[in-house]
Amino acid sequence: MKKVFLLSLIFLIGMSGVSQNNSSIKPGEIWPDNEGKHINAHGGGILLNDGTYYWFGESRLSRGEKDRTNYGVGCYSSKDLLSWKNEGLALKVINDTSSLLQPGCVIERPKVIFNKKTGKFVMWFHHELKGQGYRAALTGVAVSDKITGPFKYLRSLRPNAGIWPVNFPEEFKVPNPEASGLKSWSDEWVQAVKEGLFVRRDFTGGQMARDMTLYVDRDGKAYHIHSAEENMTLHFSELTDDYLDFTGRYYRVLPGESNEAPAIFYSKGKYFMFTSGTTGWKPNPGRISYANKITGEWTALGNPCRGTGDENKTTFGSQSTFVLQVQGKKNKFIYMGDRWIPENLADSRHIWLPVEWENGMPVIKWNPEWHLYKTK
Ligand code: GAL
């Protein structure tokens, strides 16, 4: 009798989600953390440190689209990529109306990297100011001695003020009076954007930095990759040795092609990048590009989705955020995306799919439930 009671108790605890052991990845489902709550780390990325994975992402309020704000950056830890412990907020909004990071500001797509030289963890994120929509287009930086935080917020800025991109022809630096009156989205306007219309506009104040990721190259140099020029062009901006600032060396990538949600990885001598188009919270057809060097030239390879027509049109209802390299398997990668739920951003779903290969091109296929690559 006692045994039956004990067994029922264990069963009930399990059902209530108090202790959660996930055994498979179920894209699009609720993904319970160790407290049974859906993982609140959106637009995120993962850093492996001392055999533990740390997942950082937007910690969102369970409110409607009108309140796009968040609590800060959530952090979760895991050894197996399935069961995640809530480590709390790595970066918190600051309860002070004189701070740019005050409640009501927008913190999106945070990424954390480790700096071997300083021994510090560095976080960058897309930062919009309270009550200003997406106008500010800033990027914020924070630093911590401990991976789980608390991260100290340093500042927010628009990168590369007063500096031309490395790969920007001389003739683009000269104002083009004809470009100013062009109708948005006309062919001539898109051409003018490709030829640096917005780079020139933002030259003095600094380039826009919206959707973003970080990438540490094999030589230890880190890059901040951000949607700039009204989301029309990606900028690959080199970070200083301590990763806390920009060196001023930056490269325009895929000019005028409207890429957001960059997620980069390296495999067999090539760099690959998942991106999305620019349709806000609504998913659109994914894109994959490659380069032989991180700073380009980047070449678009098309849509990496291998599903039905409808699935390919929405990247299986997701938008890329990160590619995770699985520990112990040199060439195993996981595509991480967000299925946004704008009326309740906290409830947005995590779409993790294994990266597969098709003639050297990374592709993704839908799988409603899959098991991680065995590490050995
Ligand atoms: C998306 C972007 C998201 C968020 C959203 C707001 O394009 O990737 O991170 O900014 O727009 O509408």
Side-chain angles (χ1 to χ4, degrees):
M1 195 57 199
K2 226 182 190 170
K3 209 168 158 194
V4 171
F5 173 72
L6 253 177
L7 280 175
S8 330
L9 194 70
I10 290 168
F11 177 71
L12 276 175
I13 289 173
M15 288 303 285
S16 69
V18 170
S19 145
Q20 202 69 45
N21 277 318
N22 303 314
S23 58
S24 60
I25 294 185
K26 296 182 190 145
E29 305 272 303
I30 291 282
W31 194 335
D33 66 6
N34 62 313
E35 293 158 2
K37 294 198 194 108
H38 183 52
I39 293 172
N40 196 352
H42 308 281
I46 290 182
L47 181 65
L48 176 65
N49 187 248
D50 269 347
T52 301
Y53 294 95
Y54 293 86
W55 182 353
F56 297 89
E58 302 158 19
S59 179
R60 291 289 192 167
L61 295 142
S62 302
R63 286 201 217 133
E65 192 183 11
K66 284 200 184 67
D67 192 347
R68 292 201 183 86
T69 56
N70 31 22
Y71 299 109
V73 175
C75 176
Y76 294 79
S77 65
S78 173
K79 290 235 181 256
D80 63 4
L81 295 171
L82 296 168
S83 301
W84 291 90
K85 175 173 175 243
N86 185 357
E87 298 281 357
L89 290 172
L91 176 76
K92 276 192 199 132
V93 290
I94 299 171
N95 246 320
D96 173 353
T97 51
S98 69
S99 171
L100 294 186
L101 209 68
Q102 64 186 282
C105 75
V106 175
I107 297 171
E108 287 183 352
R109 299 189 176 270
K111 305 288 177 302
V112 175
I113 51 180
F114 177 64
N115 188 295
K116 284 193 189 137
K117 287 192 186 136
T118 61
K120 294 195 191 293
F121 297 91
V122 179
M123 176 192 290
W124 286 88
F125 53 93
H126 170 197
H127 187 195
E128 296 293 347
L129 303 181
K130 184 181 176 191
Q132 296 191 20
Y134 279 82
R135 270 200 298 285
L138 301 172
T139 184
V141 57
V143 67
S144 172
D145 293 327
K146 241 182 89 194
I147 189 161
T148 50
F151 278 76
K152 184 175 183 288
Y153 171 59
L154 299 178
R155 67 194 181 288
S156 296
L157 71 160
R158 276 198 177 194
N160 302 314
I163 303 167
W164 296 115
V166 176
N167 57 349
F168 201 61
E170 280 305 311
E171 62 265 30
F172 288 3
K173 297 178 186 168
V174 187
N176 172 7
E178 280 165 31
S180 59
L182 296 172
K183 194 167 171 281
S184 297
W185 300 107
S186 64
D187 291 349
E188 297 77 12
W189 181 84
V190 173
Q191 190 55 32
V193 172
K194 288 186 184 170
E195 292 172 5
L197 179 65
F198 295 130
V199 177
R200 290 192 297 275
R201 185 197 65 185
D202 294 336
F203 181 74
T204 311
Q207 300 294 321
M208 299 175 94
R210 289 206 181 111
D211 275 17
M212 62 148 290
T213 193
L214 299 176
Y215 186 78
V216 181
D217 204 0
R218 284 162 311 134
D219 60 5
K221 260 198 208 324
Y223 295 85
H224 183 300
I225 293 108
H226 47 107
S227 293
E229 304 178 31
E230 301 292 348
N231 306 331
M232 298 286 285
T233 302
L234 289 167
H235 287 185
F236 279 51
S237 300
E238 191 184 84
L239 293 176
T240 49
D241 281 353
D242 59 8
Y243 300 168
L244 297 176
D245 207 346
F246 294 91
T247 63
R249 287 181 68 76
Y250 71 110
Y251 301 78
R252 297 174 82 216
V253 167
L254 303 170
E257 293 189 23
S258 295
N259 283 288
E260 283 191 330
I264 295 176
F265 67 107
Y266 174 86
S267 175
K268 297 182 194 146
K270 286 197 165 49
Y271 297 85
F272 294 95
M273 174 168 66
F274 286 96
T275 54
S276 72
T278 51
T279 53
W281 302 117
K282 276 212 207 91
N284 53 54
R287 304 159 180 196
I288 187 95
S289 320
Y290 85 95
N292 296 318
K293 270 192 349 210
I294 183 75
T295 51
E297 293 274 312
W298 283 84
T299 306
L301 292 171
N303 189 330
C305 303
R306 295 290 177 268
T308 64
D310 281 348
E311 285 172 334
N312 299 347
K313 265 191 231 154
T314 66
T315 317
F316 306 103
S318 79
Q319 187 183 28
S320 43
T321 183
F322 197 73
V323 173
L324 173 66
Q325 184 163 3
V326 181
Q327 190 186 15
K329 281 281 180 186
K330 208 163 150 226
N331 292 311
K332 297 294 182 186
F333 300 94
I334 298 174
Y335 162 92
M336 290 169 57
D338 298 282
R339 181 174 292 172
W340 297 112
I341 304 182
E343 49 291 343
N344 184 355
L345 282 168
D347 196 35
S348 300
R349 302 303 164 85
H350 310 293
I351 307 296
W352 286 26
L353 294 168
V355 171
E356 300 181 39
W357 296 90
E358 197 182 86
N359 307 321
M361 169 172 163
V363 296
I364 47 174
K365 297 174 184 163
W366 181 249
N367 194 338
E369 179 171 13
W370 58 281
H371 294 86
L372 274 161
Y373 305 107
K374 307 254 183 307
T375 40
K376 279 272 158 337

